[in-house]
Amino acid sequence: MAELPRAVRQAMPLAREVAVEVAKQYGVCIRPVPLKRLDVDTGRWEVVDVPCGATLDAKCPSCAKRNRQLRMAQCREGWHLDHEPTITPNDPNDEQRWLVEFRADLQARRDQAAALGEDTADWDAAVKGVDAEINEAGMRGNVLGRTVPKRTRSTRRRQDAPNLPKRRMSPTTLGRTFTSSDGKVYRPSLFVTLTLPSYGKVRDGVPVDPETYDYARAARDALHFAKLVDRFVQNLRRVAGYDVQYFATVEPQKRFAPHLHMAIRGTLPRAEVKQIAAATYHQVWWPPVDKVVFDGDHFPVWQDDTGYLDPATGEVLPTWDQALDQLDADEDAEPLAVLRFGDQVDVKGVLAGTPDADQCIRYLSKYLTKSLGDSLDAGDRAQREHAARMVEALHYEPCSPRCPNWLRYGVQPKDAKPGMAPGQCRSKAHKPDHLGYAGRRVLVSRKWSNKTLAEHKQDRRAWVLQALGQPNEPTDPHRYIWKPVPAGDANVSPLAVRLLRSVAERQRWRAHMAQLQAQAGGQDLPATEEAAA
Ligand SMILES: [Zn+2]
Ligand SMILES: [Zn+2]
């Protein structure tokens, strides 16, 4: 690079920015992950760029947009099914295979560290992270087929089913049909919107009086929102009397509370859905957090083989399980929180194939490319301050049994390890991007459609290949071996080069698709951009 003229050198960072802009315009991933791939048939290694959105956790706008389109296709596919889906486990695709191999590699290193008597905490965390990725990639369960033993709780603590009508279960996932007098069969479905309750008067998404706005409750509700949704589905199924399937998205309201849009297959009377929402609640049976035990410089300290103890008294803090036992034994104990939905419940009947259904699907996926904490009115100071107060409320709120914040309230977090400190939890739940809700943004029941998202992607690819007159032979899953690329690997070209290469490829696709479209008279060919994904 030394022999390049100075002017050219100075222009180089700019070239990279331009490449990123061009890539965005063409819907190309701007944060590709390079992976090394060995083709077993040819014995050749090559570096392949995998789009950042391949693991469904898109980090760039192009992948976010593409994943949104896939989600819309998935939603459309299951909403008005007229036959039972057949659920079969899928063959692992390349990406899943790579994750499994990567995990095996991590496990080996972890076991090696354990054999040497080293601390395995980091390895364990890495293995857990990859397990989560594998699940995201569409495989069910974890690689070892291990299930976490469930803690048996006293019956008193069980969440009782609320007082709701209950129909006999029939073994179907399909809703009722209605036949009109002229013999036409209708298959109505539902579109439901659920919100959380009020925490104080709000104007333009901002509390009128921040002093009285219940930030603590807003924070807690956001943290446990996913559980409340689970309860709603359980109750819905009980009342409906069939195995109700749903496709739902969690989106931010302007006041930053998560709310839920849900496409439901089949129909119930509107009043009944509202009754179910009103009766649904979730109790959080966690130790109390109303008393701060450790604050300021007074922190519990870690002692090997013992756990966290009070440095002043030497008293060992109760472990997570002990704290839960105490809670069970206490007849007067109250749940840490009881969650309920707000009064604002919207229920709408939707018929398959109507413009109405399409509009709902667009609405359902509207915010999928945004993070929960993305201010909907970014320039607004009042909203930024509101978000900051929300983050503050979340700072010491325990987000999970493993949250280091438990130490503040005198309890050892589950799986406590050295180096934990209250207020230093690294979970997404505490971050401004998430504002308490760290769960999945899209919730799809298992029997929604016949396909996983990975299979929807495969469909699209197959269609494009067919349209191009190329064979879509299933790739032999044993053909490739994937390896991560170490940082600074000389085989990886600069980002700008890689992006422009992808753009060129995308242009070739587009030209070819346009030609095919012209031949087909513009009929029945979906937008080239999403097809070329
Ligand atoms: Zn991307
Ligand atoms: Zn936490």
Side-chain angles (χ1 to χ4, degrees), residues 177-188 351-354:
T177 57
F178 299 89
T179 311
S180 69
S181 51
D182 59 355
K184 202 167 175 315
V185 177
Y186 291 95
R187 187 174 291 281
L351 282 174
T354 58

Side-chain angles (χ1 to χ4, degrees), residues 199 213-222 390 393-394 397:
Y199 308 113
Y213 191 81
D214 196 345
Y215 280 101
R217 186 159 171 226
R220 229 165 259 172
D221 279 8
M390 188 75 183
L394 285 159
E397 190 67 36

Side-chain angles (χ1 to χ4, degrees), residues 394-395 397-400 402-405 424-427 429-430:
L394 285 159
H395 187 63
E397 190 67 36
C399 67
S400 74
R402 287 185 174 79
C403 186
N405 284 350
Q424 290 181 25
C425 179
R426 283 159 70 190
S427 157
H430 303 281

Side-chain angles (χ1 to χ4, degrees), residues 278-290:
T280 295
Y281 63 92
H282 172 67
Q283 295 174 317
V284 182
W285 283 107
W286 280 1
V289 297
D290 47 2

